Structure formats: structure tokens, C-alpha cells
Amino acid sequence: MKLALEWIADGQVDPQDNALLVLNPPSGLTEGAYIVVLRPAFASDGHVLTEHRVFFVGESVDGVEVGESSTQAPPFEVLWRVILLSSSTLLFGMTVLYSRVLLPSWGNARYRMGKLPPRVMNRLTLWAGVALIGILLGNLLSLIQYAMALFDVGAFAVVGNNLWQTARIGSRFGGVWTFRMVLWGLIALIWCLTLYWRTDKPRTVLPFWHAMTWAYA
């Protein structure tokens, strides 16, 4: 049995109740089966659920098949989560290692740059930079994958049609994502300043590293 599929209406969040999704189909629907595709998304982390509902106008009929509902994370989502979480954990580990372990144990005022030997500070700075690159990559992939799941299209369509921008501006996750990116940008700026001033103003490295820890928290 073949079904002729036609998009007839878009749903939205109820203005009076943020936990309720509403759909207002046009009046005068012909008799037959209608499929509702739900893609609720978590504002905190961008995970999108895919669910299907069927309703009938007139008598119900057998043989109407819809896609399977899914709560599982697709491989692309797993990829960006691994990149983002491992990179952010690495960055936090570097800042805590510096301020809570190395500085109390090896800190010496004769080392003007961060009160630690230059080879140690250079290694910490390098790994913090690697972590920041991973964080940026993970966040960009998260927004692309979120738009892919939300609009049910591929990555090339998301980038080519600027759907990632629509998802960033027009969704709660996009607002949370933008706020997080501002904070990550602040941490990246502090990290860049540690590089820029470590020769001319080496004493600024110590407060900058403390600032990165607090900004991350």
C-alpha cells in the first residue's frame, strides 16, 4: 500500500506552557492517515529525540507504517561529545594541575613566568591550546549535528543552507550554545594573552592562569 506524503502543518511550543507541543492542522482535512513527526530537543545539551504519532481523519486503516522512534544518540553526536568532553576535561585538568599541584609544590619567585620553570609552563600552555582547539571543534560540530537532527537533513545541507544559523538563533539550545561560546572565547582570549605577554610581562601569566580556572568553573 503506497502513501502519498504531503507536508500540511508545523507544530510549535505552546506559548502558555513550555512543556506542551501544539499542532494546528488546517480545517477541512480529507479522510486518511496523518503522521506527526516530533523532534523535541534538550536545551542543555542539544540532544534531539525523534518520535512519530499517527492520527486518522475518518475511519482508521491498517498498514500505515512510520519510522521508528529513537532516543539513541547518532554516531555524529557521540563523536562531538567525545571531542568536547575530553577537550574540556583536559583544559580544566591543566589549569587545576597548575594552580593546585605544581604551583604549591614547585613555585619559585625566581621564575618570572608563572613561577614555574619555562619548560613546564610551555608544556602546560601547549596542552591548554590543544584543548581549546578541541573545544572549538566540538562546539561547532555540536551545532551542525543539532541542526541535522532538528531539520532531518545532511551536514552539507546544514552548512550550505545556513540551517546551523537558524538553529543557533531560533532555538533554546542555540542560546545556551552562544552563551557557552562566549565563555570559551573569554578563556581563549586569556590563553592568548599568556602567550602574548609571557616575554614582556611574564608576571601576568600567574593571574591569567588563575583566571582561566575560574572562567572554566
Side-chain angles (χ1 to χ4, degrees):
M1 175 180 173
K2 285 190 175 182
L3 296 177
L5 300 180
E6 179 183 359
W7 196 269
I8 61 171
D10 289 317
Q12 61 183 353
V13 176
D14 189 332
Q16 307 300 324
D17 186 354
N18 291 333
L20 181 64
L21 297 175
V22 295
L23 174 67
N24 296 313
S27 59
L29 291 178
T30 59
E31 293 189 3
Y34 293 85
I35 302 172
V36 180
V37 181
L38 302 173
R39 289 193 176 89
F42 291 90
S44 58
D45 64 359
H47 180 60
V48 180
L49 305 179
T50 302
E51 300 179 5
H52 298 84
R53 301 287 186 269
V54 178
F55 70 91
F56 298 91
V57 174
E59 295 184 4
S60 62
V61 296
D62 296 328
V64 179
E65 296 182 0
V66 297
E68 294 183 0
S69 298
S70 174
T71 59
Q72 300 300 315
F76 195 179
E77 183 176 344
V78 174
L79 173 64
W80 71 254
R81 287 184 186 278
V82 169
I83 294 174
L84 181 59
L85 292 176
S86 59
S87 298
S88 58
T89 302
L90 174 61
L91 177 62
F92 189 59
M94 290 297 99
T95 59
V96 172
L97 177 66
Y98 170 75
S99 61
R100 298 300 182 185
V101 179
L102 298 180
L103 194 60
S105 301
W106 293 352
N108 193 317
R110 70 189 180 92
Y111 298 116
R112 300 179 63 203
M113 186 177 67
K115 294 186 177 181
L116 289 178
R119 63 181 180 84
V120 177
M121 289 305 306
N122 290 337
R123 190 64 59 87
L124 289 172
T125 302
L126 172 63
W127 281 108
V130 170
L132 283 168
I133 293 174
I135 289 168
L136 175 62
L137 176 62
N139 274 290
L140 292 176
L141 292 178
S142 72
L143 187 60
I144 292 174
Q145 187 273 325
Y146 173 78
M148 289 170 58
L150 199 62
F151 297 107
D152 195 25
V153 295
F156 290 108
V158 167
V159 176
N161 298 321
N162 285 331
L163 294 179
W164 64 273
Q165 189 78 319
T166 303
R168 186 184 69 84
I169 297 174
S171 67
R172 292 185 180 180
F173 171 70
V176 174
W177 184 90
T178 301
F179 177 72
R180 287 175 176 166
M181 286 299 290
V182 170
L183 291 179
W184 288 126
L186 174 62
I187 295 173
L189 175 62
I190 296 172
W191 178 82
C192 289
L193 290 176
T194 65
L195 291 179
Y196 184 73
W197 278 336
R198 65 179 178 174
T199 301
D200 297 334
K201 301 177 181 180
R203 296 190 185 281
T204 61
V205 172
L206 174 62
F208 280 153
W209 269 83
H210 285 318
M212 281 197 294
T213 306
W214 284 105
Y216 181 97

